[in-house]
Amino acid sequence: MDRRNWISKATLGSTAVMMLPHLGIAMPKTNLGEAYLRLASNENPYGCSEQVKKSFSTSASAINRYAFASIPELKLALAKRFQLTSENILLGAGSSGLLEAVAQFMLQREGDVTTATPTFDILPAMLEKFGRKTHYIPLKQDHTLDLNAMLDKTKEHPGLVYIVNPNNPIGTAVGPKELRQFITEATKYSYVLIDEAYLEFCDNSESMIDMVVNPRVMVIKTFSKVYGLAGLRIGYGFAHAAWVDALEKYMIFAGLPISSPAFSVATAALDDQNFVDFVVQKNTESKTIVVETLRKLKIDYIPSQTSFILFDISKYPTEFMTDMKNKGILIGTRDYLGKNWCRVSMGTVEETKEFTKVLTELWKA
């Protein structure tokens, strides 16, 4: 299996695509608009909250101003929310902006990278471009992270351990107790970076943020998923003040790549827990609908702790992605363990019902 092609080999049927070479992601060149159900990119189908929309509208009057004043305001809001200080907060243009800073940080130091496979591999892909070695640890039989093997590897090759929990694109998660024990041991040898982009959807959403008292621990999160702000590109991270200071040296005007309106709506999003609860509840409803359909059709799937589900389409007789697209639905496919899988994002409940209706029709055809 070509690991980079794991991230996404979606070609959206016959639609013209552009490739992102460092990831192997294929994206449509044209704006597909509302002609398709977009169930391929793990976007929040419910958009953002009304409170956020009002804030965005108000902030639009200040788009001629730089966001210097807004940076400390968002840091203070995050510090208050997660019981830390502003010195523990790092802001970037999406979590990918923070991953880029970590890559720059590691390139100034000796050491290898240890991570899982499959996983979201932007960070190791960036480091590999500059010749940095990455050790990929296969998942266990239950599709969860093999933390013991990762610990053994980082003992042999210290540097950085990168963990995505819940894991994208598989959807599984390891429990907080097990992860805390791992972090405690792994930081004796390496820095540890925890990516919690999908944690809010997890049955146990206990974060590792409190562990950043350890100067070798960092946790990154995003406003793209449960908050529905993917288009505004707002990522945030938590680390010991010393690590934050070191990382910001590799970021031009740390935080400034985020736009002024984005800062405003991010603060509003943090204050609207009702919307977050609503999104999580609806996501659970949609996953239940999909799982029930997969069971009826006797299709193997991997239980998910995220906003997407991976299921086995190896027995499907033709090109599943193309057939879905012809029915007006965009999904992604991936190779894993010698099989072909569909990763479908959870849409609204109504969209999910439409997806399962089409899935049933195609599977029984």
Side-chain angles (χ1 to χ4, degrees), residues 1-10 19-26 118-119 121 169 332-336 340:
M1 177 186 68
D2 184 337
R3 177 182 45 75
R4 285 199 179 90
N5 284 341
W6 160 258
I7 294 292
S8 177
K9 66 175 186 178
M19 292 299 299
L20 304 182
H22 62 296
L23 291 178
I25 295 180
T119 197
D121 70 350
T333 61
R334 284 121 175 94
D335 293 326
Y336 173 49
N340 195 22

Side-chain angles (χ1 to χ4, degrees), residues 139-206:
L139 304 180
K140 297 192 294 186
Q141 288 188 344
D142 64 356
H143 311 290
T144 60
L145 302 174
D146 191 340
L147 295 182
N148 289 333
M150 294 177 78
L151 180 60
D152 289 342
K153 185 60 68 175
T154 202
K155 286 180 180 179
E156 298 174 10
H157 303 280
L160 173 73
V161 183
Y162 176 50
I163 288 179
V164 182
N165 192 55
N167 189 18
N168 176 26
I170 302 300
T172 57
V174 295
K177 182 179 179 181
E178 182 182 2
L179 187 53
R180 287 179 183 279
Q181 292 173 343
F182 170 83
I183 293 171
T184 299
E185 289 300 313
T187 48
K188 296 176 182 178
Y189 310 92
S190 300
Y191 288 91
V192 176
L193 175 60
I194 308 295
D195 187 332
E196 295 183 345
Y198 295 91
L199 188 67
E200 289 82 3
F201 298 105
C202 194
D203 291 341
N204 188 332
S205 57
E206 181 181 327

Side-chain angles (χ1 to χ4, degrees), residues 71-96:
I71 295 173
E73 291 177 6
L74 180 55
K75 283 190 173 185
L76 283 172
L78 287 166
K80 180 180 179 181
R81 172 67 179 271
F82 294 98
Q83 299 180 330
L84 294 170
T85 68
S86 296
E87 288 72 26
N88 298 120
I89 312 296
L90 191 70
L91 302 174
S95 57
S96 56

Side-chain angles (χ1 to χ4, degrees), residues 177-333:
K177 182 179 179 181
E178 182 182 2
L179 187 53
R180 287 179 183 279
Q181 292 173 343
F182 170 83
I183 293 171
T184 299
E185 289 300 313
T187 48
K188 296 176 182 178
Y189 310 92
S190 300
Y191 288 91
V192 176
L193 175 60
I194 308 295
D195 187 332
E196 295 183 345
Y198 295 91
L199 188 67
E200 289 82 3
F201 298 105
C202 194
D203 291 341
N204 188 332
S205 57
E206 181 181 327
S207 174
M208 297 293 108
I209 290 173
D210 60 296
M211 296 201 75
V212 303
V213 293
N214 184 318
R216 285 187 162 192
V217 178
M218 183 177 183
V219 176
I220 60 172
K221 299 177 77 69
T222 180
F223 283 96
S224 296
K225 304 305 177 183
V226 77
Y227 292 108
L229 304 181
L232 289 179
R233 311 304 302 128
I234 318 171
Y236 55 108
F238 306 87
H240 190 278
W243 198 2
V244 169
D245 183 62
L247 288 170
E248 287 190 333
K249 292 177 181 178
Y250 304 107
M251 303 173 72
I252 298 175
F253 295 125
L256 196 60
I258 305 171
S259 68
S260 297
F263 275 112
S264 175
V265 301
T267 304
L270 281 175
D271 292 335
D272 198 343
Q273 186 60 39
N274 287 337
F275 178 74
V276 171
D277 294 341
F278 166 78
V279 171
V280 172
Q281 176 190 339
K282 290 298 181 181
N283 183 75
T284 300
E285 290 180 24
S286 289
K287 283 198 294 186
T288 300
I289 293 169
V290 173
V291 167
E292 288 177 350
T293 301
L294 294 174
R295 288 175 175 171
K296 289 179 181 178
L297 297 174
K298 297 182 180 180
I299 300 174
D300 290 336
Y301 68 95
I302 298 176
S304 173
Q305 294 286 312
T306 63
S307 59
F308 55 84
I309 292 179
L310 208 69
F311 62 92
D312 185 3
I313 54 173
S314 300
K315 296 179 181 179
Y316 189 75
T318 57
E319 287 292 327
F320 186 70
M321 182 188 300
T322 301
D323 289 349
M324 272 287 174
K325 178 179 175 291
N326 290 338
K327 293 287 188 177
I329 300 175
L330 301 179
I331 51 86
T333 61

Side-chain angles (χ1 to χ4, degrees), residues 118-135:
T119 197
F120 186 68
D121 70 350
I122 281 182
L123 176 60
M126 284 192 290
L127 287 168
E128 285 180 338
K129 283 185 175 182
F130 295 93
R132 188 55 56 91
K133 176 70 175 178
T134 299
H135 303 278

Side-chain angles (χ1 to χ4, degrees), residues 47-67:
C48 58
S49 73
E50 291 301 317
Q51 185 171 313
V52 165
K53 291 178 183 178
K54 291 178 182 178
S55 177
F56 185 82
S57 178
T58 301
S59 65
S61 62
I63 59 175
N64 61 314
R65 303 297 182 186
Y66 290 113

